[in-house]
């Protein structure tokens, strides 16, 4: 059933529901008609038998009674299906038709109405005991049902014959309707099938019907937009990555070729090898960064989060940062709190994040400048800031510094050797901790990079700060 096309399934359901409905209708209509026939006949019988009872009550002698019944105009006009007996079953009066079609002497002496067919004709028989002159008479009055039953049978025949035809017609209508209703779905399917990586920017035509199909098309278009964006990012990333890798490889190749062009002194060879080794080191760290971002994208780079003291993490990164700063004659200041600040984090990743920020601060701050690292907890977050008095970042570059491969002034940045991946990695680390990273900067005055990481939980920090 599930492998059939939807419109066939809808039609089948439609058919099943209709067939059940028709059958129920038929059964109910049939019994309701029969019930109402019995009701009408019974009322008639009740009315007529009153006349007979009055007559019996007037005359109580046996012979006289039979005669009276035979003579009574009213009774003869109303019904000739009448019989009267005593409780022992001896006839007092029996009309001609009753002796032909009617039941035998009554065994029941209580009031009752039953349907019987003692002979050729189905009868509705009303039995009534009447007391008169100290005797009991059992009066039975009957009404033939054959005409009614024939009408009922005709009705049943019509129902049986017309139902399949009606069902067939209705199902064909249902099929047509479901085809019509599902046609736009086929349209959407066809359009969606034609979209591939080559034309990810094409979109489905949205029907402005305000219904489920419009919502479906819009949802699919939204999904396409997200896919296109992700696809673009990946393509861009691959292109940038290969470009970044090609440069140092070409450089190493040139160095080696130049060195081999003619015989050289051992010192010259050593020099070339040293330069190539330096290039190689830069290239492998670039590859490492690229792989980290690729793992982050695919969601396979998992953090080992434990409860750690942020003061220690930042302090460790500062040890290295201070060394970097001092070789460039930059003043390095730390403003770290005494009490611990607990967070759920991966200490290696966090150290890496702060080294990225400190490395940038040193790179983009001239000698005699100042770098300040501070840490505090506020609003349920650990807030760390790396502040420098360096060259700053132009306002139009600020929104892009966290983008992959972005470098503000490309020529100058290449001199300092970065690939523009540091802050992308830093941002990923902050976000993987449920935190954020922000930048404030003024060209010529310096920059502030602010990292916020949620605290490990209120009570743990309260306990932690008491220790
Ligand atoms: N402290 C800073 N001062 C000025 N510019 C900065 C600073 N940190 C980052 N930038 C700018 O942001 C760009 C991206 O930084 P990053 O992702 O670390 O790449 P990289 O350092 O490899 O160039 C840098 O090229 C630089 O232009
Ligand atoms: Mg950097």
């Amino acid at each position: 059933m599930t492998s059939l096309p939807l419109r066939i399934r809808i039609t089948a359901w439609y058919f099943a529901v209709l067939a059940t409905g028709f059958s129920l209708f038929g059964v109910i209509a049939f019994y309701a008609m029969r019930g109402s026939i019995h009701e009408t006949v019974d009322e008639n019988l009740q009315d007529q038998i009153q006349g007979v009872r009055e007559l019996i009550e007037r005359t109580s002698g046996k012979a006289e009674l039979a005669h009276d019944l035979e003579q009574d105009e009213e009774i003869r006009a109303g019904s000739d299906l009448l019989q009267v007996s005593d409780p022992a079953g001896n006839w007092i009066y029996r009309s001609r038709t009753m002796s032909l079609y009617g039941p035998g002497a009554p065994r029941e002496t209580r009031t009752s109405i039953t349907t019987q067919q003692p002979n050729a004709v189905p009868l509705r028989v009303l039995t009534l005991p009447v007391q008169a002159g100290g005797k009991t008479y059992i009066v039975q009055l009957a009404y033939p049902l054959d005409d009614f039953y024939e009408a009922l049978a005709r009705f049943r025949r019509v129902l049986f014959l017309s139902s399949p035809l009606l069902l067939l017609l209705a199902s064909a209508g249902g099929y047509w309707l479901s085809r019509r209703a599902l046609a736009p779905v086929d349209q959407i399917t066809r359009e969606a099938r034609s979209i591939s990586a080559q034309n990810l920017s094409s979109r489905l035509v949205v029907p402005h019907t305000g219904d489920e199909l419009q919502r479906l098309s819009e949802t699919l278009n939204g999904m396409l937009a997200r896919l296109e964006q992700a696809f673009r990012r990946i393509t861009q990333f691959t292109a940038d990555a290969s470009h970044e890798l090609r440069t140092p490889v070409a450089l190493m190749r040139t160095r080696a070729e130049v060195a081999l062009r003619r015989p050289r002194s051992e010192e010259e060879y050593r020099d070339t090898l040293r330069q190539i080794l330096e290039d190689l080191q830069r290239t492998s760290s670039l590859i490492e960064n690229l792989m980290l971002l690729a793992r982050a994208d695919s969601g396979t780079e998992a953090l080992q989060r434990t409860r750690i003291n942020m003061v220690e993490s930042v302090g460790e990164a500062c040890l290295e940062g201070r060394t970097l700063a001092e070789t460039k004659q930059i003043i390095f200041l730390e403003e770290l709190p005494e009490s611990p600040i607990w967070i759920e984090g991966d200490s290696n990743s966090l150290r890496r994040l702060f080294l990225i920020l400190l490395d940038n601060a040193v790179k983009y701050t001239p000698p005699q400048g100042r770098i300040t690292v501070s840490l505090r907890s506020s609003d349920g977050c650990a807030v760390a800031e790396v502040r420098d008095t360096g060259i700053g970042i132009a306002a139009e570059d600020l929104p892009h510094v966290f983008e992959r491969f972005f470098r503000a002034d490309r020529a100058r940045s290449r001199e300092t050797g970065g690939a523009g991946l540091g802050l992308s990695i830093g941002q990923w680390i902050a976000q993987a901790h449920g935190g954020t990273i922000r930048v404030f900067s003024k060209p010529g005055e310096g920059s502030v990079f602010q990292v916020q990481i949620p605290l490990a939980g209120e009570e743990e920090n309260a306990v932690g700060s008491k220790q």
Side-chain angles (χ1 to χ4, degrees):
M1 185 84 177
T2 42
S3 61
L4 288 172
L6 189 55
R7 56 174 163 276
I8 301 283
R9 273 187 285 156
I10 290 178
T11 312
W13 274 108
Y14 192 61
F15 181 87
V17 170
L18 265 183
T20 319
F22 270 24
S23 318
L24 267 175
F25 166 76
V27 170
I28 290 173
F30 181 82
Y31 282 101
M33 269 178 87
R34 212 172 70 163
S36 104
I37 288 170
H38 285 169
E39 211 173 297
T40 319
V41 169
D42 292 354
E43 270 172 22
N44 258 327
L45 286 172
Q46 303 269 17
D47 282 352
Q48 285 176 19
I49 213 163
Q50 291 315 318
V52 181
R53 159 194 262 175
E54 277 163 22
L55 197 132
I56 292 175
E57 280 166 355
R58 271 203 312 272
T59 0
S60 47
K62 272 189 191 178
E64 216 180 325
L65 175 61
H67 182 258
D68 280 3
L69 282 169
E70 247 164 88
Q71 294 309 309
D72 193 283
E73 287 289 326
E74 213 177 306
I75 290 170
R76 290 182 62 152
S79 74
D80 47 0
L81 279 166
L82 173 69
Q83 57 189 21
V84 182
S85 64
D86 62 16
N90 303 312
W91 296 120
I92 293 165
Y93 171 76
R94 205 168 186 214
S95 70
R96 215 172 57 83
T97 32
M98 199 60 153
S99 53
L100 274 178
Y101 304 112
R107 256 163 278 132
E108 276 286 330
T109 54
R110 273 174 293 156
T111 309
S112 68
I113 295 190
T114 51
T115 306
Q116 306 178 13
Q117 189 169 353
N119 291 299
V121 181
L123 296 174
R124 192 76 176 157
V125 180
L126 170 59
T127 308
L128 182 77
V130 176
Q131 309 285 338
K135 286 183 186 149
T136 305
Y137 302 91
I138 310 300
V139 181
Q140 285 195 305
L141 192 61
Y143 199 92
L145 291 172
D146 49 350
D147 284 349
F148 294 121
Y149 278 12
E150 242 164 63
L152 263 183
R154 259 200 307 280
F155 171 68
R156 197 166 46 190
R157 256 198 316 280
V158 168
L159 220 61
F160 268 117
L161 288 179
S162 64
S163 293
L165 204 74
L166 273 175
L167 265 179
L168 223 69
L169 277 175
S171 303
Y175 180 75
W176 179 78
L177 268 180
S178 57
R179 252 189 93 98
R180 245 187 84 107
L182 292 175
V185 176
D186 283 339
Q187 171 80 11
I188 292 174
T189 311
R190 266 197 305 280
E191 284 176 20
R193 198 176 285 150
S194 70
I195 296 177
S196 67
Q198 273 68 47
N199 59 348
L200 257 186
S201 53
S202 49
R203 295 285 177 270
L204 306 174
V205 179
V206 177
H208 290 283
T209 43
D211 58 6
E212 289 87 347
L213 292 171
Q214 180 177 353
R215 278 204 299 283
L216 177 64
S217 315
E218 282 168 354
T219 310
L220 284 175
N221 278 346
M223 186 182 80
L224 277 176
R226 289 194 297 278
L227 279 177
E228 187 192 4
Q229 211 185 355
F231 191 74
R232 277 236 180 92
R233 264 215 343 249
I234 294 169
T235 324
Q236 186 66 42
F237 184 59
T238 318
D240 289 345
S242 11
H243 177 80
E244 285 303 324
L245 285 171
R246 201 175 54 190
T247 316
V249 170
L251 197 66
M252 285 184 269
R253 184 178 162 166
T254 316
R255 288 200 211 284
E257 277 170 356
V258 169
L260 288 173
R261 206 162 282 163
R262 57 179 173 80
R264 298 185 189 267
S265 68
E266 196 192 320
E267 191 48 41
E268 281 176 308
Y269 283 132
R270 276 180 179 282
D271 227 38
T272 307
L273 278 178
R274 242 193 312 274
Q275 283 173 341
I276 290 179
L277 192 62
E278 245 171 58
D279 290 339
L280 273 174
Q281 271 160 355
R282 244 202 311 267
T283 313
S284 43
S285 93
L286 172 65
I287 291 174
E288 198 191 309
N289 284 344
L290 286 174
M291 284 177 62
L292 180 111
L293 282 171
R295 284 199 304 271
D297 279 347
S298 67
T300 46
E301 175 73 12
L303 295 180
Q304 302 292 319
R305 290 177 75 170
T306 51
R307 191 164 170 269
I308 55 170
N309 180 2
M310 186 90 160
V311 183
E312 268 174 34
S313 296
V314 176
E316 274 168 31
C318 282
L319 284 181
E320 281 183 60
R322 181 178 293 278
T323 321
L324 283 175
E326 278 167 1
T327 50
K328 211 180 152 184
Q329 273 109 49
I330 296 172
I331 303 160
F332 192 89
L333 300 172
E334 287 172 41
E335 293 169 3
L336 303 183
E338 298 283 303
S339 51
I341 296 179
W342 298 102
I343 60 156
E344 292 280 343
D346 178 322
S347 56
N348 281 332
S349 299
L350 284 175
R351 213 171 60 100
R352 184 174 195 152
L353 162 62
F354 288 108
L355 276 180
I356 288 168
L357 298 182
L358 289 172
D359 177 61
N360 282 346
V362 172
K363 254 200 282 188
Y364 302 111
T365 303
Q368 317 313 327
R370 194 175 62 240
I371 295 173
T372 316
V373 180
S374 71
L375 178 64
R376 63 181 197 279
S377 85
S378 106
D379 285 339
C381 277
V383 183
E385 278 177 2
V386 176
R387 188 181 294 268
D388 66 53
T389 58
I391 58 173
I393 304 166
E396 69 263 25
D397 288 339
L398 270 182
H400 303 293
V401 291
F402 297 107
E403 283 170 14
R404 292 172 188 188
F405 299 108
F406 178 85
R407 282 167 299 199
D409 183 333
R410 290 187 175 246
R412 183 186 58 216
S413 292
R414 195 173 296 284
E415 247 167 61
T416 52
L421 290 178
L423 288 178
S424 318
I425 293 173
Q427 188 182 43
W428 177 77
I429 293 172
Q431 286 171 353
H433 279 85
T436 54
I437 182 165
R438 286 192 292 174
V439 58
F440 310 92
S441 184
K442 255 200 188 142
E445 286 183 23
S447 318
V448 184
F449 282 86
Q450 188 189 67
V451 179
Q452 294 203 16
I453 309 271
L455 296 177
E458 288 307 313
E459 70 278 26
E460 284 184 42
N461 266 283
V463 172
S465 49
K466 270 182 217 147
Q467 285 171 348

